[in-house]
Every structure is written in C-alpha cells, then in structure tokens.
Amino acid sequence: MVLTTPYASIFSAPRTALAISRIVRRYHPRVTSEPEGKGAPAPEIRAAATPSSVRELAQEALRLARVDLRQAEATATAACDAAATLDDPTTTGLSFRCLANVRYLSGRLEEAIVLYQRALEAFASGNDEIEGAKTRSSGLQTLILLGRYDHAQSWAAAAREVFVRHRDPLLVARLDCNLGNLLHRLDRHREALAAYETSLRFFRAHGGDPQATAAALLNSAVCLIILGDLPEAEARFIEMSAHCRRNGMPLPALQAEYNLAYLHFHRGEYTRAIEHYRAAVERSREQGDIYHEALCRLDLAEIYLDVNLTAEAAELAEQARAAFAGLKLRYEASKATAFAAIAAGQRGESDSAAALFAEARRGFDAEGNHAWCAMVDFYRAIALLEARRPEDARREANRARDWFLDAGQTPRVVLAELLLARTELALGSYGDASRHAVEARRRLEQLDSPHLLYRASFVDGQIAEASGDRATALERYRDACTVLGGLRAHLHSEELLIAFVKDKQAVFESLIWLTLETMEPGSGADALAWVENAKSRAFADMIAPRSIGPRRAGRAPSGLKAEMRLLREELNWCYSQLDAADIAGNGPSEGGGEALLGRGVATGTVDDLRRRSRQLEGKLIKVTNRLRSRDLDFDALESTGISVEAVMAALPDDTLLLEYYEARGIVFAFVVGRDRIEVRPVSSSERVRRLLGFLQFQLSKLQLGEAYVRTFDEALLLAVRSHLRELDDELIAPLRSLLDARSLIVVPHGPLHRVPFQALWNGESYLVDHFALSYAPSASVFRLCSMRPARTTAGALILAVPDDYNPGIAAEAGVVASAMPGARVLLGDQATPDALRRWGGGAGLIHVAAHGFFRRDNPMFSAIQLGGASRLTVLDLYELDLVSELVVLSGCGTGLGGVEGGDEQIGLVRGLLYAGAQTVVATLWDAQDESTRRFMQAFYQRLQAQPDRAAALRDAMVELRDAYPHPYYWAPFFLAGRPSGRPLLGDTPLAQG
C-alpha cells in the first residue's frame, strides 16, 4: 500500500510564458542532484529570471508532477537555476521546495531532505515563517519514509504552531493529513484514520486544494482496508477517482488504482488485484518512480504468497528488498524481508526463514513499529505450529493477537484467533480451541473477507470433528469448500488456479472423508461431487469454454506476442546448444562444461546455458500467462459447477467410470454408471505407492539391453506379473463384482496416474482382456471433452523425426501413411512446429512420431523434439487451435505429467486436450521402436473398421502381446479424452489450417 502526501501549496495550471517554455524544453530531460550552483545559468535563464517567472516554473513543475515526473524534474531544475540569478530568499526557498517535492516523488529521499533544509534556510533568512512552516509540513512524508519519526514530529509541531497562530485552517488541514501518514507508518491506524477524517471534513466543506483532498481520500481508504471496512474503503476510492478526473490528476489516480488492487486482494479477487498491480508497475516504471514500482512488487509478493506461487513471491520480495535498500527505506525493506522469510518457510527452508524473520524483526524494532513486530511474531507462530511446537506457537500467537487488539486491526485479530484455535486443537484443548474460533467468527461478522471466512469455517469443522460432532463438522467443511469455490472463480489463469489449491487440499479432503464416513450405502453422489471439485478443476475451467465452441480470437497486444516469439527463439537456440553439448559428451557438470559461444550467453559453459535456459523459461511462462489472461477463453472462465448427473448422462453405452481418490491415507474408488454410483475403500495410499515403486523398478529392467532381456525373459515376466497382481488385488479386486460393462474410463488420483491399469493382472488375465480402457484427468474433464461439438475435419498429418536413438521412427511413419493414404507426411527437418501450426488446424488425425521427454523440474516445458532442432512444449500446445478427432504421440514417455496442486496433471496430453483434440494416445514409458511400429500398424488397421478408439487400442494391445508377452512392450499406450468418435477418413487431402 502507498500513502500520498499533499504538496506545501498547489496552484491552478499556469499560463507559462513562451520564454519559460523554451527554457523547460532545453532542460528536459536534464537531471542533476546539485542544480543550484554548478556553473553560470544559461543566458536565456538570466534574461527571463524574475520572481514571477520562477514561481511560474515552480507551479508548472508541481502540475507536471501529477502527470510526468521526468518533465517535472526538468522544470523544477530550471526554476532552481533561475532563482540562483536573483537575490530573493523567498524565491530561492520556493524553488528548492519545489525540486524537493519532485525528488520525493521520484524516490530520491536523501536529496529531497537536503533541498527541504535549504528551503528552510532561505525562508528563515527572508523572515518568511509561513512558507517555512509549509515546507516542514510538505517534508513530513520524506522524513517518515526515512524512518526519522522524532524529526518528523518536531517539524509537525513547529508547523502547527505557525498555522494556528496565523489562523489558517486550510494549512492545518493539510498538516493533519500529513500527520496521519506518520501515525499510519507506525501502524496506529485508528489514530491515523481520525487525522485523515479531520482534514477530509474541511476539504469537503471548503475545497481549495484538490491534491490534498485526493491524499486524504486515498489515505483514509488505505486505513479502512487495514481496519476491515472494505465497503467504505471502496466508496473512498470511487470518490477519489472521480475527484482526480475532474481535476486532471493522473498520478494520484494511479496511486488510487494501486491501492484499489489491495482492496481486491482482501476480497479474494486475486486476478483483478494482480492485473492492477502489473499495470501500476508499468506506469511507475514509465514515470521513473522507483519507490512505487517497488511497492507494487512488494504487494504482488504478498498475493503470490497467499496463492502459493512461492518462487514468484520470493523473486518479487527480493527485487523490492533491493530497491528499498537502495532508497534507504528500512521499513519497506523489512517488510520485503518478512515476505522473503515466508517464502523460505513455504519452500521448507526453516533455517533460512528463521534468519530472515529475525532480520525483519530487527528492522521493525529499529523503526519502533510494534505492529510489524507483532506480524513477524504471528508468522513465526505459524512456523512453530507446523514444526509441531504448539506451546511455543501459542506464546507467539498470543503476543501478536494482543497487539492487534490494541491497534484495532480486526482482520489480523481474526487470523491470530484462528491460529490460537489451531494451537489449542493441537494441544487437545478443544474447549479453548472453540473459544478462540467463536471469537474469530464474532469479529469476522464485521468484515467482507471470504479468504478469512473459509479459514474460519475449516477450523470450526476441525474442532467439531475432534469433539465428535460429525454433523456440525460436515456442515462447516461444506461451508469452507463453498467459499473456496467462490474465491477460485476469481482466478482467471491456470497458474493461479493450480497454485491456489496447493495448501487447501486438506479442506476438500476433510469434507470428502467425512461425507464418505457418514453417507448411507449407495448414495455416493455428494462425495463424488466434492471429489470433482477438488480434482483437475483448473483444467476443467480452462477447457469449459471450448466444450461449447472453438476458441475465439484473443486480443493480445503485439508487443507481448513479439516478446514471446523472441524468448522462444533464444530458448530454442539454448536447447539446441545443450543437445549438441550432451551428444559431444560435455554433460551438465558444474563449472566443467566446454566453452560455448552464442546468443544470450556471450561466452560460457554448459552450466551457463542451463542457467540461461531456466531464466528464459521463467520469463516465457510469465509472458504466456499475461497473454492467456487476455485471451477471451480465459476472460470467460467461470467455475464450471459439478453435476454428477451430467457426468452420468455423458457415459457411453455399456461403459463405467472408475474414479479414485486418496483421503487421509486411504484410497477410495467410485464406480459410476448411467444409473448408479458405488463407492468403496480399496487400499492404503502407502501400500499402493510401495507396490508402484516395485513395478516401475521391474519395468526399468527392460532397458538393460537385449542380451539381458533374452537371458532373463521368463523371470522378468513373472516378476512384473507379480507386482501387477498385487496392484490388481488392491485397486481392482475389491470392485470386480461391480464392473459389469465392456468399457472403463479410469480417473486416477495422485500416484495412480502412473499405474498402467490395462496391464493389471488377476493371475489369469490382464484387465485389458475384459475392458476397453480410456483415461481422463477427472470426470468433469471427460464430460467436457465429450461435449465438444463435431467440427469438419479431413485428412491426416504425420510428423516423424528419426534420430540415432529412434531409427525405427521412419518405418513407423510409413506404416501410418499406408493406413491413411491421403496423409501429408513430413519427415525430419520438415516436421517443425511451424508445419504443425500450418497443417494441423484442419487435420482429423495428427500422428507425431518423435522423441518426447518429461521435465520433472518444470512440467510446462515437457516437449516433443521436432525437426529443425526445435521443441514443441506444453506452452506451445496451448497456443494451437486443433479440430482433430485423434492425436497420437508415439514417442518415449509422451504421456507422463507432473501432478500439481489439486491433482492437476501437467504434460503434453493436457496441452493437446486444451488445444482442441478430441482424443489423445500417448505412452507412459519409453516404448521400444519395433514393438511401437507393430502396435501402430494394428491400431490403425482397427480404426478403419470401428469408431471406438478405446476398443481399437485394446485389440492392438492384445495382438501385440502375442509377439511381445512382457507388458513393457504392449502396455505403455493409453488413450485420454473421448473414447469413441467418428471414423477417420484416410483418403482426403489435407488443407492448410
């Protein structure tokens, strides 16, 4: 947040003389920190300098300060140089004060104080005490920002004595507003609000100072946000915006927009807040306003911490910290340090967090700011509770709560009471926990704060459940999840949607667990609805608009698109250099790579390139998020609402949906048909994870070479079947009597995304022998994919990129082309991302035979290696607009994905489904060349005969298994999205998309 201070005096826009205008143009963009005595003034200034012209320049500088700080600096500098030619102390003082005001607004605070002091000396030599008092009033904010509170109080007292003696209520009102800033800085918000209200009453009644009126409106609104009165704060912002428009003051309007973002944040409107802050950052940078740019970054860091974008928050906090340290602003630097500490705690770096918290508290102690000392205590209490030290946490939380109470900071009191309730709950003191929760609820009634309301409801539910009151617990958990759904509806970007729920899964898990525990047999619809609210909601919200129709054209600015293009070009160059280095055997060793030359890295090692590529990836994600936030699809995002009945109605004939969910260490399974829902607990999460680890180890043995596999083929098959049998016992056997259908749509959860369900073995047969299997990230995503309207498509596009590791890719492309005789086949360097964009938009079938790889460190950059040494990443797929009935990725591990918050599976399959593909076939592990070729041949032959893609996939697996009995060869392939569709036309020429 930022407060604004009125100038010592504000005039209407002057009629500047032509000679003065020419002087200003000469000085712009000249900036100097010592304008008043270095060399003789320019002849034009000597000729035009009069007390009147200097006043005109000073007035013009003050007017420009509301519009353009650089022009204001040039004009104020000209005023000082003109005043230096005159022997008039008052004129000299006015010019110094004018330049001091501009330097303050530019964040050059130490220079501003020097100039204020010189102005005071000039006014004293001219016996002009009223202008001296105005200078002290105007300079208060600079002293406040520098932490010189005693000095500020001394100046305020001296100014008040003069204003009262001269009986000037306007100047007293301005001083009250500035004094409110001092009280606000010390977090004495109720006293600050009273001071602002006093000045505002005068300005509303008498007018006379538009800038001071704007300051009082803005500053009182900031206090109202902190004190929890959001409706009145919003009313002040609206009044200020109208006031600024009437009086032509864009700079205060920018400050209002900045603080309005903080209001949106407190209401849980995260996307609106972030957009406001980003706009304010750009405008502050354009104005050369270092201070406000850093403040924007600081508050953005706070928002990102709240939605769990920890890395971004840490980066912003460090940027703000460095800027404030450079400006010698200890208070703001300490806040940035506290946010950096919170980010370190979120990353699990407890020692670093403790050190940063201690540093922040020392800074606030030195400032005499007890409120932020209390906030540091509060954050430390959270860390102590998470470290299972509830008694220590209670001590710190009590200390913080008491100070928040004294300061009248209701939102912070609510947070502290809820934290105390959690500590008492951890200590088993349910009565004391309930007392704190009730107090939090009582105070929460005064606030419009959904992000506090969901926390209060969740804590209430935890207390009720621990006390044995399941009915109340269920109601409170349901309330918490409902509020979270409302908050999530304001997050119009995938990044925010995913990050937001990372630390909130316990809320959904508690509700689902208790719903399952208390429900009557055969009534699992409520539980499934909440499961769907918890799983892949970001993806469901993303693709919801595309289930209605094709993507509409976005309105992204050309500058962002150009920046994205340049970032991609440099990133592809870095990737190609890294690939070349890996092939040459230079490897990724720190500091030991061979020297390389190129774009972005003038001279460096492989490690330099890796670091540079990570930086570019981070920048590209940020630009992409900004572009997609402007995309009409994302503007239209709303919470899609979960209708279990709609999911059931979307199921094809003779098909069941099998959805898994982990809650409190237990794996539950929902069996959903058109007319029934059954739910069963099937296994423990720990056991499934252990068995899956064993299975993956056995599958990895098939990569030890042909000689090893031939020698131990029977033993390898027996071992892998043993683990597949154990997983079948856990995940399928308890449900077998319920699975009375020909097709299954499997919706995994957590680690189950890596289970090859088609290969689960019951001792006699595999699961694929009984069912045609397909997969979906969630039941909601399956339904949305099934709703996609049929679009006119024709022909096939085949992209194939053979390499030394995958020489059979060319033969595979030939097999697919023979099954689709009208296909356009692009091999090697022809198979580029640009070719996909050109031809893929109208293709009914897209087959990509190329090396794929999964990036565990950054799943958004999982990619397919295409021709021309270029990569097609998940981010690139998001930019495509496909109409394909089917996209097949036959490369190694193309179906792998990273599981993020809310069970969001981030990988190539997600990117293709978002791009518009009806169905995607991909692989769970590195498939073998020859077996892949034979599988594709069988798969495409069957596709010609039937529209059921899942059945075609099953039949191809069964056929391949005769030649390759081990599941490693025939079971990596899986189908996601719509399991059936129209027959693929292989003899139609492909038009450009």
Side-chain angles (χ1 to χ4, degrees):
M1 295 164 298
V2 57
L3 300 178
T4 184
T5 182
Y7 300 120
S9 58
I10 297 295
F11 305 87
S12 60
R15 296 184 298 274
T16 307
L18 179 61
I20 298 298
S21 297
R22 288 172 179 162
I23 294 170
V24 173
R25 286 198 297 272
R26 173 188 175 93
Y27 272 71
H28 182 65
R30 175 184 168 192
V31 175
T32 171
S33 59
E34 294 289 340
E36 66 282 354
K38 300 290 184 181
E44 310 98 289
I45 290 182
R46 186 180 299 278
T50 64
S52 176
S53 66
V54 172
R55 282 180 178 272
E56 278 194 82
L57 279 170
Q59 292 168 21
E60 178 68 0
L62 292 172
R63 183 188 71 81
L64 288 169
R66 309 171 201 163
V67 180
D68 187 323
L69 285 171
R70 289 185 176 88
Q71 290 189 42
E73 172 83 21
T75 307
T77 299
C80 285
D81 280 3
T85 67
L86 304 173
D87 185 18
D88 184 347
T90 296
T91 302
T92 300
L94 288 173
S95 69
F96 283 154
R97 186 174 71 206
C98 171
L99 185 57
N101 286 333
V102 174
R103 292 280 166 84
Y104 150 70
L105 286 171
S106 301
R108 299 158 68 181
L109 303 180
E110 293 287 359
E111 296 173 21
I113 285 296
V114 170
L115 290 165
Y116 282 130
Q117 193 61 52
R118 290 181 180 177
L120 287 174
E121 293 167 1
F123 291 134
S125 68
N127 295 316
D128 195 336
E129 68 172 4
I130 193 71
E131 291 297 340
K134 289 180 183 178
T135 301
R136 288 188 172 91
S137 178
S138 187
L140 285 184
Q141 184 69 10
T142 307
L143 290 171
I144 292 167
L145 291 176
L146 290 170
R148 301 175 188 174
Y149 305 127
D150 291 342
H151 197 170
Q153 288 174 332
S154 172
W155 274 20
R160 185 178 297 278
E161 188 275 328
V162 172
F163 295 154
V164 170
R165 180 155 42 83
H166 282 262
R167 299 179 180 177
D168 193 326
L170 175 61
L171 294 178
V172 172
R174 289 177 184 154
L175 179 63
D176 282 333
C177 191
N178 289 355
L179 189 60
N181 291 357
L182 173 61
L183 295 166
H184 180 279
R185 176 76 165 200
L186 296 171
D187 283 88
R188 293 159 58 181
H189 300 296
R190 283 186 298 194
E191 297 171 71
L193 181 61
Y196 296 138
E197 296 285 8
T198 299
S199 61
L200 190 56
R201 280 194 294 272
F202 177 87
F203 296 138
R204 280 171 168 163
H206 304 285
D209 195 333
Q211 182 78 6
T213 303
L217 286 167
L218 174 60
N219 298 349
S220 61
V222 171
C223 279
L224 287 163
I225 291 174
I226 294 172
L227 294 171
D229 192 347
L230 302 189
E232 181 59 28
E234 184 174 30
R236 297 287 169 93
F237 283 129
I238 292 171
E239 183 181 352
M240 183 191 172
S241 294
H243 172 81
C244 289
R245 284 195 300 272
R246 286 195 304 271
N247 291 278
M249 298 189 299
L251 193 59
L254 170 64
Q255 294 171 334
E257 181 179 339
Y258 166 87
N259 285 284
L260 190 57
Y262 201 69
L263 175 66
H264 290 315
F265 168 42
H266 274 263
R267 282 182 170 164
E269 299 168 354
Y270 299 102
T271 301
R272 292 181 68 185
I274 289 170
E275 288 172 353
H276 277 293
Y277 279 127
R278 284 174 175 165
V281 165
E282 294 301 321
R283 292 195 184 100
S284 297
R285 186 182 294 124
E286 291 168 3
Q287 293 281 345
D289 190 343
I290 300 171
Y291 173 64
H292 288 116
E293 181 183 345
L295 280 176
C296 291
R297 296 187 187 281
L298 185 63
D299 282 345
L300 271 171
E302 185 175 2
I303 294 177
Y304 284 158
L305 287 171
D306 202 58
V307 298
N308 305 302
L309 287 172
T310 306
E312 291 84 348
E315 180 182 359
L316 286 164
E318 288 299 334
Q319 289 172 352
R321 188 181 180 198
F324 292 135
L327 293 170
K328 299 182 179 179
L329 299 177
R330 185 171 53 198
Y331 170 81
E332 285 85 354
S334 298
K335 282 183 71 174
T337 303
F339 290 163
I342 298 168
Q346 287 185 357
R347 291 193 300 263
E349 301 167 0
S350 55
D351 291 343
S352 176
L356 287 167
F357 275 134
E359 179 184 340
R361 204 181 198 288
R362 286 194 297 271
F364 291 126
D365 276 335
E367 286 279 304
N369 190 307
H370 303 297
W372 263 94
C373 288
M375 282 302 296
V376 172
D377 293 340
F378 172 77
Y379 289 130
R380 288 199 301 204
I382 293 174
L384 288 166
L385 182 59
E386 291 174 351
R388 298 185 180 180
R389 295 168 56 187
E391 292 183 351
D392 294 334
R394 179 170 58 187
R395 181 186 64 251
E396 296 285 339
N398 268 314
R399 186 162 59 189
R401 189 272 316 273
D402 291 345
W403 204 96
F404 297 152
L405 277 169
D406 290 341
Q409 297 177 5
T410 303
R412 292 176 178 175
V413 173
V414 171
L415 283 171
E417 291 287 1
L418 292 175
L419 181 57
L420 283 164
R422 290 172 56 202
T423 60
E424 296 297 349
L425 193 59
L427 291 165
S429 302
Y430 302 153
D432 288 337
S434 181
R435 177 173 55 81
H436 287 297
V438 168
E439 180 62 18
R441 277 276 184 182
R442 185 182 70 80
R443 294 180 179 277
L444 195 52
E445 291 175 358
Q446 310 168 31
L447 306 176
D448 175 19
S449 186
H451 74 290
L452 292 179
L453 180 59
Y454 99 80
R455 290 182 172 94
S457 297
F458 183 42
V459 170
D460 285 345
Q462 290 176 305
I463 295 169
E465 185 179 3
S467 304
D469 185 353
R470 293 187 175 186
T472 299
L474 194 60
E475 182 180 353
R476 294 294 178 263
Y477 288 147
R478 191 178 293 115
D479 290 344
C481 290
T482 300
V483 175
L484 280 176
L487 287 170
R488 190 162 50 189
H490 293 294
L491 300 173
H492 293 177
S493 88
E494 179 188 24
E495 179 186 38
L496 290 175
L497 283 162
I498 293 173
F500 177 72
V501 298
K502 279 184 180 177
D503 65 340
K504 300 170 180 68
Q505 286 306 295
V507 184
F508 289 101
E509 190 175 328
S510 296
L511 173 59
I512 292 163
W513 172 271
L514 213 53
T515 300
L516 290 170
E517 269 205 330
T518 57
M519 75 177 187
E520 296 180 1
S523 59
D526 286 346
L528 181 59
W530 287 115
V531 166
E532 283 296 298
N533 268 287
K535 290 175 60 175
S536 292
R537 292 292 295 125
F539 193 40
D541 286 346
M542 280 172 61
I543 68 172
R546 307 199 72 182
S547 67
I548 301 169
R551 182 189 304 189
R552 292 167 288 175
R555 55 177 186 274
S558 58
L560 283 178
K561 289 185 176 179
E563 185 178 356
M564 173 182 279
R565 184 176 63 253
L566 291 173
L567 285 169
R568 279 186 171 139
E569 288 176 359
E570 186 173 351
L571 193 52
N572 277 330
W573 180 87
C574 285
Y575 289 154
S576 67
Q577 295 297 303
L578 287 167
D579 291 342
D582 287 341
I583 292 171
N586 292 326
S589 60
E590 281 294 329
E594 182 176 313
L596 299 168
L597 300 176
R599 300 165 55 185
V601 182
T603 301
T605 65
V606 171
D607 299 319
D608 295 326
L609 277 169
R610 292 187 187 281
R611 281 189 287 272
R612 179 59 178 161
S613 67
R614 286 194 291 269
Q615 292 171 355
L616 291 168
E617 287 170 351
K619 290 181 179 179
L620 185 55
I621 284 179
K622 289 177 182 177
V623 173
T624 303
N625 284 331
R626 290 175 66 188
L627 274 170
R628 296 214 317 273
S629 71
R630 297 170 180 266
D631 190 299
L632 291 178
D633 279 351
F634 280 81
D635 288 345
L637 283 184
E638 295 180 0
S639 184
T640 54
I642 301 304
S643 168
V644 173
E645 292 77 14
V647 170
M648 297 167 73
L651 291 172
D653 292 335
D654 209 7
T655 299
L656 293 174
L657 184 138
L658 177 57
E659 178 155 4
Y660 292 92
Y661 184 76
E662 278 189 53
R664 298 186 180 178
I666 301 298
V667 178
F668 293 87
F670 293 81
V671 179
V672 184
R674 281 190 168 182
D675 56 0
R676 65 188 173 100
I677 297 176
E678 303 285 345
V679 58
R680 300 280 190 277
V682 294
S683 184
S684 75
S685 305
E686 182 182 355
R687 177 162 173 76
V688 170
R689 282 181 169 81
R690 187 171 68 253
L691 294 175
L692 182 56
F694 294 154
L695 173 64
Q696 290 175 324
F697 175 70
Q698 285 299 326
L699 290 172
S700 70
K701 290 183 178 181
L702 273 292
Q703 299 175 351
L704 295 177
E706 291 184 12
Y708 177 87
V709 172
R710 281 196 304 270
T711 303
F712 299 103
D713 57 345
E714 288 190 20
L716 289 170
L717 180 58
L718 287 173
V720 80
R721 278 183 171 176
S722 171
H723 296 309
L724 290 166
R725 171 68 181 269
E726 291 176 310
L727 283 168
D728 185 271
D729 288 344
E730 300 297 320
L731 300 173
I732 298 297
L735 311 169
R736 207 172 307 274
S737 63
L738 303 176
L739 303 180
D740 51 351
R742 289 188 305 108
S743 299
L744 286 182
I745 300 167
V746 180
V747 179
H749 187 218
L752 299 187
H753 286 288
R754 302 196 303 274
V755 173
F757 280 85
Q758 58 271 20
L760 295 186
W761 171 253
N762 65 8
E764 297 179 355
S765 58
Y766 294 100
L767 193 63
V768 75
D769 293 325
H770 305 278
F771 306 100
L773 278 86
S774 62
Y775 293 79
S778 71
S780 305
V781 171
F782 156 73
R783 174 179 172 268
L784 290 166
C785 287
S786 69
M787 288 171 56
R788 284 179 169 169
R791 298 166 67 181
T792 302
T793 61
L797 175 65
I798 301 169
L799 304 176
V801 186
D803 57 33
D804 292 340
Y805 301 104
N806 303 277
I809 281 178
E812 177 189 328
V815 164
V816 180
S818 65
M820 310 292 285
R824 178 173 291 273
V825 181
L826 302 175
L827 293 174
D829 287 344
Q830 295 178 317
T832 63
D834 284 341
L836 177 61
R837 295 183 187 99
R838 180 182 181 187
W839 298 104
L845 166 71
I846 298 175
H847 183 100
V848 182
H851 178 65
F853 51 89
F854 169 58
R855 285 277 302 275
R856 294 188 184 279
D857 64 315
N858 197 342
M860 280 292 183
F861 287 91
S862 299
I864 306 165
Q865 186 71 52
L866 291 183
S870 57
R871 296 184 183 185
L872 186 73
T873 67
V874 178
L875 282 180
D876 296 324
L877 293 173
Y878 279 178
E879 302 306 313
L880 297 180
D881 191 10
L882 303 179
V883 295
S884 306
E885 292 283 325
L886 175 64
V887 178
V888 177
L889 304 178
S890 66
C892 303
T894 51
L896 294 176
V899 180
E900 302 289 342
D903 203 50
E904 301 288 349
Q905 186 82 349
I906 310 297
L908 296 168
V909 173
R910 181 191 187 94
L912 286 166
L913 290 175
Y914 175 73
Q918 301 278 359
T919 307
V920 178
V921 171
T923 59
L924 280 171
W925 57 79
D926 294 353
Q928 194 254 6
D929 261 15
E930 177 59 20
S931 61
T932 298
R933 182 190 65 78
R934 294 181 63 169
F935 172 84
M936 291 301 166
Q937 184 174 26
F939 176 55
Y940 280 103
Q941 285 174 351
R942 282 158 177 79
L943 277 180
Q944 302 302 310
Q946 63 174 332
D948 191 331
R949 299 158 195 167
L953 197 77
R954 175 199 60 201
D955 294 343
M957 286 183 188
V958 173
E959 178 180 328
L960 185 64
R961 199 170 66 211
D962 291 338
Y964 296 90
H966 197 289
Y968 173 81
Y969 299 101
W970 59 263
F973 310 101
F974 72 95
L975 183 150
R978 181 183 287 180
S980 62
R982 296 179 302 176
L984 295 170
L985 302 176
D987 56 354
T988 306
L990 180 62
Q992 291 190 38

